Amino acid sequence: MCRSLYRFLMAIICTAVLSLGSGCAYRYQEDPKEIFQRALTGLAGKEEMMFRGKAAIRTDDHGLFDTEYQYSGTLKNHNEVVIESYLSPKSPSSTDTKTRSLTLKRVNKEWKAESLDGTKPPLARWNPVAQLEAIEQTKNKTFRTEYGVPRGKQMIRIELEGEEAVMYLSNQLEEEMQELQSELPALTSTVPNDKRSKCLKELNTLYEQQKSQLEDYLTRAQATLVYHLLIDKRTNLPLRLSSESEIRYEEAEGAPKKELLVTDVYFDHYK
């Protein structure tokens, strides 16, 4: 009995020595979900913030992106985000960089778009505050702590599970389709008055066809949506948010199609 107890105590001592010698093998691991919540709370407590980001869309497996965006923005008075987006030309010889601006205001926990330049481009998806809030509201998601980040920083990985990812992307696309429909009358402003009604009718017909086709694709779609959030451990504030959204579906003739959207945004100048 004494010998067994002695061996047990020696095992405990050896384990403690090994832990101390390796810099303490066991470390308390914070819940990544709690880390995310603190970051979101910290952001909500800030009145002002600036961000800058990039986004790219790829529709094939060749590794080349079809469309690339650069955007920047500011958060003001907690509930107002102003975004400017720059659509980069794909041709090296082209200098036709298109700039769009949009103001988004939070009303009853929803972000409403207000035009700055006479149009309402689909810039809402570049609002990183809305992205973080949407992550919090989704039901089926997994959090994981990532390692290998600089000292004083924390990185967490958030993945929306299959059906949740499809639902999230579907809602986003449908909102943009609705926004596009509201802009159809403005598109006919340069058409002669006697032809404007006919032109608007044709645009609405085309819109309904495209909307029906989109809904059909989404019923058979699969999606993956992964976020990586870098956080300052001292302030608990977001420093960087990157995402990869991949959606896979079949076209009308049965051909498989895949689209990938990649975003990367940095936060700074908190006040």
Side-chain angles (χ1 to χ4, degrees):
M1 178 68 177
C2 292
R3 183 174 298 179
S4 297
L5 180 61
Y6 174 75
R7 289 176 177 173
F8 177 69
L9 291 174
M10 285 299 295
I12 293 176
I13 293 171
C14 289
T15 301
V17 171
L18 288 172
S19 297
L20 291 171
S22 61
C24 200
Y26 173 78
R27 293 182 301 170
Y28 170 70
Q29 302 297 328
E30 287 191 273
D31 183 351
K33 185 176 181 180
E34 293 181 1
I35 296 173
F36 172 80
Q37 287 298 145
R38 285 203 303 268
L40 197 60
T41 301
L43 176 58
K46 294 298 179 180
E47 184 172 346
E48 296 182 12
M49 176 269 292
M50 298 179 66
F51 59 89
R52 63 192 187 283
K54 294 181 179 180
I57 299 173
R58 188 174 70 203
T59 57
D60 55 40
D61 295 320
H62 300 149
L64 300 177
F65 287 90
D66 304 319
T67 310
E68 296 178 358
Y69 299 88
Q70 293 185 19
Y71 56 97
S72 60
T74 56
L75 169 69
K76 301 178 180 179
N77 303 318
H78 294 288
N79 298 314
E80 181 178 327
V81 170
V82 180
I83 304 176
E84 289 191 346
S85 175
Y86 313 91
L87 176 60
S88 303
K90 296 304 293 180
S91 173
S93 60
S94 174
T95 58
D96 184 23
T97 300
K98 297 179 181 180
T99 303
R100 293 289 183 266
S101 300
L102 192 70
T103 292
L104 296 158
K105 291 187 177 181
R106 181 162 40 198
V107 180
N108 296 325
K109 297 183 179 181
E110 292 186 7
W111 290 93
K112 303 293 185 181
E114 296 185 357
S115 175
L116 284 183
D117 60 358
T119 63
K120 291 185 180 179
L123 300 184
R125 67 165 63 195
W126 312 138
N127 179 0
V129 182
Q131 283 185 315
L132 289 169
E133 292 172 348
I135 292 172
E136 181 188 35
Q137 293 168 6
T138 55
K139 296 180 180 179
N140 299 317
K141 53 184 176 285
T142 57
F143 292 87
R144 190 177 74 194
T145 303
E146 301 279 54
Y147 299 99
V149 297
R151 183 183 296 273
K153 309 292 190 301
Q154 292 175 305
M155 175 79 80
I156 57 174
R157 179 185 186 275
I158 310 120
E159 180 174 355
L160 303 190
E161 299 178 1
E163 291 184 3
E164 191 74 30
V166 172
M167 185 179 299
Y168 178 85
L169 295 175
S170 297
N171 291 339
Q172 194 174 59
L173 291 169
E174 288 172 1
E175 287 177 5
E176 291 178 3
M177 286 292 289
Q178 292 175 0
E179 193 67 44
L180 176 60
Q181 185 182 32
S182 68
E183 293 298 306
L184 292 182
L187 296 177
T188 65
S189 60
T190 58
V191 177
N193 291 337
D194 59 333
K195 298 181 180 179
R196 191 171 298 174
S197 178
K198 180 181 179 181
C199 181
L200 181 58
K201 183 177 179 180
E202 291 176 352
L203 284 174
N204 277 311
T205 299
L206 179 61
Y207 167 83
E208 291 297 335
Q209 291 174 349
Q210 295 299 316
K211 180 183 177 182
S212 177
Q213 187 178 61
L214 174 63
E215 291 173 349
D216 182 56
Y217 289 162
L218 291 175
T219 59
R220 303 187 304 273
Q222 295 180 315
T224 304
L225 181 51
V226 177
Y227 292 95
H228 284 89
L229 181 63
L230 183 66
I231 301 164
D232 188 318
K233 292 180 69 175
R234 181 178 60 85
T235 63
N236 291 321
L237 290 171
L239 298 174
R240 179 183 181 184
L241 176 66
S242 59
S243 72
E244 290 189 7
S245 308
E246 182 179 281
I247 187 165
R248 302 170 297 280
Y249 58 92
E250 289 185 359
E251 295 183 308
E253 62 275 13
K257 190 79 172 179
K258 182 170 69 175
E259 296 183 8
L260 176 68
L261 170 65
V262 177
T263 66
D264 195 8
V265 59
Y266 291 83
F267 305 83
D268 54 27
H269 292 86
Y270 284 100
K271 292 183 181 179

